[in-house]
Amino acid sequence: MAAVVFPDAAALVCTYVREQLVARGMPVPVGTHVPNPRPPRFVRIERIGGPRLDLVTDRPRLDVHCWGASEEDAHDLAQVVRALLLAIPGWRGAAAYAVAEVGGPNTLPDPTSGQDRVALAVEIELRGKSLA
């Protein structure tokens, strides 16, 4: 069996979402951790599992949390991020074959800060590269 490595799915998707938001005039912080200090709007993307499907395909499951200044703001940001995620196949920054929504947007106020937040989850099929 050949040795195949896969990209850091959370980092790759953070880069994609950040670039796409900026291109739409929405310079919202996007990363894998909650920023400190906490801005009024931001997106956190975290890999929470997902299997390797075959020799060259990984299917990471990603939790996506969108914080906003209000429930409506968090909802609107989540809807834009959701649309962008569903459009990732074909993005030149990654060999993304497919994306599936496995958890639609839901209101999930942040228990630590009380800030409004909307969460969703996706699985993205990514192609790996030979280690050789």
Side-chain angles (χ1 to χ4, degrees):
M1 180 186 243
V4 175
V5 295
F6 298 99
D8 178 332
L12 183 141
V13 173
C14 283
T15 297
Y16 167 75
V17 170
R18 187 180 313 109
E19 287 178 2
Q20 296 300 311
L21 288 172
V22 167
R24 287 161 178 78
M26 300 173 69
V28 176
V30 179
T32 57
H33 295 87
V34 173
N36 185 9
R38 183 185 290 260
R41 301 177 94 199
F42 64 96
V43 178
R44 191 191 90 221
I45 299 171
E46 177 183 28
R47 182 170 183 160
I48 57 167
R52 176 178 176 164
L53 294 181
D54 55 39
L55 180 62
V56 297
T57 310
D58 190 23
R59 187 191 293 159
R61 180 173 285 203
L62 303 172
D63 253 359
V64 181
H65 291 218
C66 300
W67 280 260
S70 66
E71 187 174 326
E72 181 180 355
D73 186 40
H75 170 270
D76 292 349
L77 178 58
Q79 289 300 330
V80 171
V81 170
R82 179 188 198 193
L84 294 173
L85 290 170
L86 294 173
I88 197 171
W91 176 56
R92 294 176 189 238
Y97 297 129
V99 61
E101 185 173 73
V102 294
N106 62 88
T107 303
L108 190 66
D110 186 317
T112 302
S113 68
Q115 189 174 6
D116 290 300
R117 175 176 67 168
V118 172
L120 59 120
V122 295
E123 290 181 347
I124 297 177
E125 293 182 18
L126 298 173
R127 183 172 181 88
K129 292 183 181 180
S130 174
L131 198 54

